[in-house]
Amino acid sequence: MHTREEQMKAFGRLLDVLDQLREKCPWDKKQTNESLRPNTIEETFELCDAIMRGDTHDMMKELGDVLMHTCFYAMIAREQGLYDIADVLNTEADKLIFRHPHVYHHSQVGAENPKPLPYVPENDQSTDEFSKAETSSDVLKNWEQIKLKEKDGNKTVLSGVPAALPSLIKAYRIQDKARNVGFDWQKKEDVWEKVHEELKELEAELAKEDKEKSTNELGDFLFSVINAARLYHLNPDDALERTNRKFIRRFNYIEEHSIRAGKPLTEMTLEEMDKLWNEAKKEEQ
């Protein structure tokens, strides 16, 4: 592993390369926050894909792409006289210190940053009341309360959930944030009654063939299943992605055999496809 000095030198090298590209490369010259946004989303998903595959080498490369985008946005802001990468880093360090009063005293906020950015509370509200956190759950509960103290922080508990999040992840984050302020099931087993209740309501509306009400009930049912996953410390997004990949592997197996047999999938019977599906399952085991 590299020393801190070597790490800082490498970070500086990346900043130097970006400065040179911004000056000399036609593509880099014309980039804006808006034009970079789709690429940033793509790079983030590529990082998530590498994480799901457990490919550490690809993770390293994709982390570099995400970091490059962070630096690029800061470079554009610097050109506009708004802030630069040092402000980004100092603000993040200040925020982490302020939100971890069980590790740092609140007076340390901005101690190493001569010009803290405005998110720090104007009246330097103390976070000493949150100075004790013995478990990760304690930390998360404190985190939500501390964020409400920040000048530019969340005005409400759920306002911190990005509107653009994929719906499944958003549901999980909404439930998790509500839990951190005490709005949760007292016993996790009780959630199953709600899941069964929502499923019955969905079945009832489907039987009536009311698409609008069925859609609403489907949402309620999915929300309750995600809630159950959260209570049992399972990540529903990871679980669904695993199933997606599993389905793709098994369906590809069927398609490969149909190609070898010279028989299009559209001409195969459901029984034939089921047989190949079960073969794919056995190979996985």
Side-chain angles (χ1 to χ4, degrees), residues 1-166:
M1 293 293 102
H2 296 86
T3 64
R4 179 53 58 88
E5 183 180 355
E6 290 170 332
Q7 292 169 1
M8 297 303 293
K9 184 177 180 181
F11 188 57
R13 179 176 176 235
L14 174 61
L15 295 178
D16 290 341
V17 168
L18 284 174
D19 282 342
Q20 291 166 0
L21 292 176
R22 184 68 166 173
E23 179 185 351
K24 300 176 181 179
C25 173
W27 185 89
D28 287 270
K29 279 182 179 180
K30 70 176 187 178
Q31 296 313 305
T32 64
N33 289 332
E34 292 73 23
S35 68
L36 281 175
R37 180 177 175 274
N39 295 34
T40 305
I41 294 171
E42 182 179 342
E43 297 297 354
T44 303
F45 274 103
E46 288 180 358
L47 171 60
C48 292
D49 180 64
I51 292 171
M52 284 299 297
R53 290 185 283 107
D55 190 325
T56 55
H57 181 70
D58 273 5
M59 275 182 62
M60 178 193 68
K61 293 197 300 180
E62 299 303 339
L63 280 169
D65 290 338
V66 173
L67 178 60
M68 183 274 288
H69 276 249
T70 300
C71 295
F72 209 143
Y73 288 116
M75 180 170 61
I76 292 172
R78 183 191 67 197
E79 294 168 354
Q80 299 170 350
L82 300 173
Y83 57 83
D84 62 18
I85 192 65
D87 294 315
V88 173
L89 298 173
N90 281 324
T91 299
E92 185 64 21
D94 286 348
K95 181 169 65 177
L96 290 172
I97 291 170
F98 187 74
R99 293 185 185 177
H100 290 79
H102 53 289
V103 178
Y104 302 97
H105 189 273
H106 76 277
S107 62
Q108 290 180 257
V109 176
E112 297 180 5
N113 179 7
K115 188 181 178 183
L117 292 188
Y119 97 91
V120 179
E122 290 178 342
N123 57 353
D124 191 26
Q125 292 179 331
S126 173
T127 54
D128 287 348
E129 61 187 288
F130 306 111
S131 60
K132 291 184 179 179
E134 297 179 356
T135 67
S136 60
S137 295
D138 292 338
V139 173
L140 290 173
K141 288 177 182 177
N142 290 348
W143 185 277
E144 295 300 334
Q145 294 299 310
I146 292 171
K147 283 165 72 174
L148 295 174
K149 283 176 168 280
E150 295 171 3
K151 179 185 174 184
D152 292 336
N154 300 331
K155 304 307 178 187
T156 64
V157 172
L158 296 184
S159 64
V161 180
L165 274 181

